[in-house]
Amino acid sequence: MRTASRLFATSAVLFFACAGIRLHAQSGDNGLTLQSGGSTIHVSFPIPPPAPLKPVIQTWITKAATAVTNYYRRYPVSAVNITVNLRNRLGVNDGHASGWNGARIEIAVGRNNSAALFDDDWIMTHEMVHLAFPSVAEKHHWIEEGLATYIEPVARARVGQLSPEKIWGDMVDGMPNGLPEGGDHGLDHTPTWGRTYWGGAMFCLYADVEIRRRTHNQKGLEDAMRAILEKNGNIQTEADLSDLLATGDKATGVPVLTELYNEWSGKPVTPDLNSLWKQLGVVSDGKTVRFDDSAPLASVRKAITSGIAK
């Protein structure tokens, strides 16, 4: 892993003004160091990438950091070590974040990846979102993955990396994967892929909408997550989920997180997704999405993707 004391053979300084966030990048033969909002992102390559690929990787990591910093109003950890492994297959895969012995992300990328492939990637942002939430008991793993699955596209949309049509279309397609099936015993007791990732994301979506509905769109899930990060810590700390939800509820002024957890954690709950899409004004024909701004919760939909109450 890269450390802050490593000497670089060459260096360059780049500044990014995305969403008002300034990033300083220092490049060396075997890695990169990025500065985001006072935090340090060390990037190391066990195998040095081809020269043309390195600045593309730098831009990719910078864009993910920009989206996450904008959503949380700070980067989640003071320092993180990111190991980028090169693979022969195209794409981005094998992402993993951990907080043991320091915040770390390990991820694999294709050595022949194009800039377009990196632009389409969601995994780096997903893993960075993981950094912002404390570690909880294994039975609550769905909240860790659900938050990362839900916040990743929202955070990217807020800095112009994804269109609203893209993220709502993906939610319409993906959220049904989180619905309970036969033998389900609630989110805490059904560790399937669908319930862990999309069930957790569905919990976050319903929480975000309900917080905004009760607060007249003045608060959202991000307010709860920012408060948890400030009071309870990040991936490097351990916490009881009940304490985290209480922190989030205090920040929003409404007990939505605790109430929803009490309802969904121990028994199967099948929310009416079609009714939710209609209320939000999300109209899908199975291929494309359009918006109905006369829908009762259209302002909530807009605020989720823009971060601005309307």
Side-chain angles (χ1 to χ4, degrees), residues 148-161:
T149 301
Y150 177 72
I151 292 174
E152 169 264 316
V154 170
R156 291 170 68 198
R158 290 186 181 185
V159 293
Q161 295 174 14

Side-chain angles (χ1 to χ4, degrees), residues 136-144 186-191 195-196 240-242 261 265-266:
V136 293
E138 183 63 28
K139 70 176 182 178
H140 305 313
H141 185 51
W142 58 268
I143 190 67
E144 298 170 335
L187 289 171
D188 274 353
H189 310 289
T190 314
R195 292 291 271 160
T196 298
D240 290 331
L241 182 57
S242 59
Y261 173 76
S265 62

Side-chain angles (χ1 to χ4, degrees), residues 134-282:
S135 298
V136 293
E138 183 63 28
K139 70 176 182 178
H140 305 313
H141 185 51
W142 58 268
I143 190 67
E144 298 170 335
E145 294 298 345
L147 284 167
T149 301
Y150 177 72
I151 292 174
E152 169 264 316
V154 170
R156 291 170 68 198
R158 290 186 181 185
V159 293
Q161 295 174 14
L162 293 176
S163 69
E165 289 82 3
K166 170 63 174 172
I167 79 162
W168 288 109
D170 286 350
M171 285 190 195
V172 169
D173 291 342
M175 289 295 174
N177 291 311
L179 293 171
E181 298 180 337
D184 191 281
H185 299 287
L187 289 171
D188 274 353
H189 310 289
T190 314
T192 62
W193 171 83
R195 292 291 271 160
T196 298
Y197 286 83
W198 285 106
M202 189 164 56
F203 175 95
C204 295
L205 170 62
Y206 271 83
D208 204 354
V209 170
E210 185 62 13
I211 290 168
R212 293 179 182 279
R213 190 186 68 79
R214 294 195 200 180
T215 64
H216 306 288
N217 221 8
Q218 297 306 300
K219 298 287 185 178
L221 184 66
E222 65 266 36
D223 295 289
M225 294 303 108
R226 291 167 188 166
I228 290 169
L229 179 59
E230 290 301 319
K231 179 178 179 179
N232 304 99
N234 53 44
I235 195 172
Q236 298 172 95
T237 63
E238 295 182 351
D240 290 331
L241 182 57
S242 59
D243 292 338
L244 302 181
L245 301 182
T247 296
D249 286 340
K250 183 176 181 180
T252 62
V254 288
V256 169
L257 293 172
T258 298
E259 290 178 0
L260 201 61
Y261 173 76
N262 290 339
E263 183 182 0
W264 289 28
S265 62
K267 64 182 180 182
V269 175
T270 304
D272 188 343
L273 286 170
N274 289 331
S275 176
L276 178 64
W277 306 138
K278 185 175 181 179
Q279 292 179 65
L280 291 169
V282 179

